Every structure is written in structure tokens, then in C-alpha cells.
Amino acid sequence: MTTDIPLGSRVVLRYQLPPGSSHPMTDVIGVLESVEPVVVVRDAAGSAIEVEPERVVALKAVPARPVRASEIRSLELASADGWPGIEHAWIDGWLARYGHGFTGRANSAAPLGDRGSVGSLDDPSPGGTLDRLREWYAERDRPLRLLIPDRLGEVPLGWNVSDEVVVMAADVDNLALPEGPRTTTVTDHPDPDWLALYRYRGSALPDFAVDVLNAVQGGMLGFGRIGAADSALLAVARGSVTTAPDDRRWVGLTAVEVAQDHRRRGIGSLICGDMINWGREHGATHACLQVAVENEGAQAMYRNVGFVAHHRYRYATEPGG
């Protein structure tokens, strides 16, 4: 069956029922898992509905179910545990993280406290939330930088906004993952070869980045690698498995890098799939990752695997900061 709808999309499937049924056809809404050799849609109850292509009357994409603010908070908290920096603290409902200045997420404060517990930044008076956050980062010789997820907070008036990020997520069972023996080798810590291949924003890693990469809060880490016959590394990726407040267990993908000469050959999808399978082996039921909003190529690759956009966040800094 031919369709332009990516696997992992939410769809409505109308199909013919067998002769003698009470109705000639019926509908099911769920996640599209396959179109060949049969169409497979997994419904909200988790059942896989399999339909031969000749029985399909219509197959259409439908808008994804609205994501609740509580779900965004839970996912952000699980992600924060998977990338906590080397220090973190709760300040009036804001989770402040510090990681030597390496990466925005490990060096920003996010409004991830329970509803009603997050302090306002509108009050600039001494001892207020804004003053306390500034002080915490000043003690670490860093400017205050905010990470504001959709629906969890507002960018303060007049602050500079930059680096919008799409958070993509999926139920592990809805992803098109590699089958059979795993190609990727997964270890507890990154070795020098792993670190040499991973380049953050195109640059070699500073020495202190290792501390950030090795940090996890209440979870576990895996560092994946795919090597060639001559021992050269073709790809690396970092996976974290953490549990959200809603009890979903997430495998988070970060630090995905494919060697320059081996890109666009499916290796990136392979190592991501292997790391998600690694996470599933350790109890993960859901998977997530972050992609810069302008990186449309990476978003397309992840959509083909079955990821969908969950929410966005952006960074904010004070004027002149």
C-alpha cells in the first residue's frame, strides 16, 4: 500500500469488515505502525489492528492528541535527570543546573516545580526568586539563563530569546526499531575514541565536558558506539534511562554523532534504534530526544523512525546579559 503518512503518525483507519458482520466497515484511531505487507494501527488500548491493504477504505492522518502541561513537566523532569549538569538546586520551583558552561540544558534554570509553586520573576526586589537565581549562577561565574518549555512559563518581558528546540517523543512500542543482534556496543562510560568523535556544535569537546556527559540523577547511562572493521568509529550516541513523576520510564537520546564520511547511510537511525532497544532492556517504555528547530533533516529522520513532536522550549537571557 502506498501512503505519504510517516510511521508513528496518529491516523484514522477505515476498513471493511468480513461478510456477515453487523456493519460493512468500521474505524479505528491510533498510531500507524506499518503499511506493508499489512496495515497495522495500534489503538489507545494498546491493541494492534492488522488490516490487509485491499480492505482499507481510507487512511488519514489526524492531529495528535493535545499534550497536557503535566505531561510536558514530567518529560522535562525525566530529561533533566538524564542531563543534570554537575550541580543542581531547586529555587522557588525553578530547577537550576550548572555544568561548567557546557550545553544550554546543563547551565540553565527551568520552571519545573508543581503548579502554583514556581516563583515569579517579575519581582526584581532583593531576596526574590529572580535575585536568588542570579546569585546562584553568579556564585558559579555564570550568567542567569532560563529554559522555558511550552505552557510551563513565560519569557520575562524584554528578555532575549534564542535557540528554540523541539522535544520529540514516542512510545517505544510504536517505533520502527532494529531487529536481531544489536550492532551497537554500549558501555558505562565514554572512552577517548568516543569523546574524540562527538563534536558539540561542530567543535571538539573541552576536558570538563566529560563530567557533564557522565552525570545522571536517579537513573543509568549507556554510551553507544558503532565501529568499522578497521576499528574506526562510525557513530556514537549517549542514552539515559530515568523515571518521570508520572511513572513513565524514558530513554533519552543525546550526543548522537556520525562520522563525516559515513553520514546519510542510515547509521544514525541504526545507532538511535539500538540505544532505544538498550533502554527498553532496562525498563524504558518511552523515548525522547531534543532537536534544534532549524535542523529539519534530523527531525525528518526521527519522524521516519516514529517520533512525533511533543513540545518545544526556548532559552532566555536578560538584556545585556
Side-chain angles (χ1 to χ4, degrees):
M1 179 176 175
T2 301
T3 179
D4 295 329
I5 303 174
L7 298 183
S9 300
R10 190 165 181 258
V11 298
V12 56
L13 169 65
R14 174 166 294 180
Y15 61 98
Q16 297 173 342
L17 293 172
S21 300
S22 58
H23 297 83
M25 62 187 68
T26 190
D27 296 342
V28 60
I29 296 177
V31 176
L32 181 64
E33 294 190 350
S34 171
V35 293
E36 296 288 347
V38 297
V39 176
V40 179
V41 173
R42 189 171 297 274
D43 64 17
S47 300
I49 311 301
E50 300 184 1
V51 179
E52 295 80 6
E54 60 270 19
R55 293 171 53 206
V56 173
V57 177
L59 179 65
K60 297 181 180 179
V62 296
R65 177 183 63 80
V67 178
R68 296 188 292 269
S70 61
E71 293 174 312
I72 295 174
R73 181 180 293 108
S74 285
L75 175 48
E76 283 292 331
L77 285 167
S79 295
D81 283 343
W83 195 270
I86 61 169
E87 293 183 59
H88 58 275
W90 283 99
I91 300 174
D92 296 342
W94 290 80
L95 177 60
R97 289 174 286 176
Y98 167 73
H100 297 302
F102 177 66
T103 75
R105 284 198 296 138
N107 295 274
S108 55
L112 302 184
D114 292 335
R115 185 177 180 181
S117 71
V118 178
S120 171
L121 302 187
D122 293 334
D123 181 7
S125 61
T129 301
L130 180 57
D131 189 59
R132 295 180 64 201
L133 286 170
R134 285 175 178 152
E135 181 179 356
W136 194 85
Y137 281 99
E139 290 173 353
R140 291 154 182 81
D141 197 28
R142 297 294 305 171
L144 171 59
R145 191 182 195 193
L146 307 178
L147 185 158
I148 308 293
D150 289 341
R151 301 169 60 195
L152 298 188
E154 299 291 336
V155 174
L157 185 64
W159 284 45
N160 302 313
V161 179
S162 63
D163 301 328
E164 189 167 13
V165 173
V166 180
V167 178
M168 305 185 75
D171 184 315
V172 169
D173 289 337
N174 293 338
L175 293 172
L177 300 176
E179 298 180 356
R182 194 163 60 216
T183 303
T184 301
T185 300
V186 183
T187 58
D188 294 337
H189 298 281
D191 64 14
D193 291 336
W194 194 104
L195 296 169
L197 180 56
Y198 175 46
R199 305 184 71 80
Y200 179 67
R201 294 187 173 179
S203 300
L205 297 180
D207 291 341
F208 52 72
V210 178
D211 295 336
V212 178
L213 288 165
N214 278 320
V216 67
Q217 179 74 15
M220 63 183 305
L221 295 176
F223 294 86
R225 55 193 289 158
I226 294 178
D230 60 1
S231 298
L233 283 188
L234 305 182
V236 296
R238 176 186 183 271
S240 61
V241 177
T242 55
T243 303
D246 60 6
D247 292 328
R248 291 183 178 182
R249 194 155 170 83
W250 290 88
V251 52
L253 300 182
T254 51
V256 179
E257 186 83 34
V258 178
Q260 182 71 40
D261 294 341
H262 298 277
R263 294 176 182 173
R264 297 180 178 84
R265 300 181 183 179
I267 296 177
S269 296
L270 177 59
I271 195 169
C272 288
D274 278 348
M275 293 306 297
I276 294 169
N277 274 328
W278 166 84
R280 178 158 55 181
E281 291 168 5
H282 294 282
T285 56
H286 293 74
C288 63
L289 49 89
Q290 297 82 19
V291 186
V293 70
E294 65 271 15
N295 192 346
E296 296 179 355
Q299 292 178 52
M301 180 187 78
Y302 294 126
R303 282 196 299 269
N304 287 337
V305 176
F307 282 92
V308 297
H310 189 273
H311 66 279
R312 296 186 178 196
Y313 64 77
R314 68 279 315 147
Y315 292 99
T317 53
E318 296 186 78

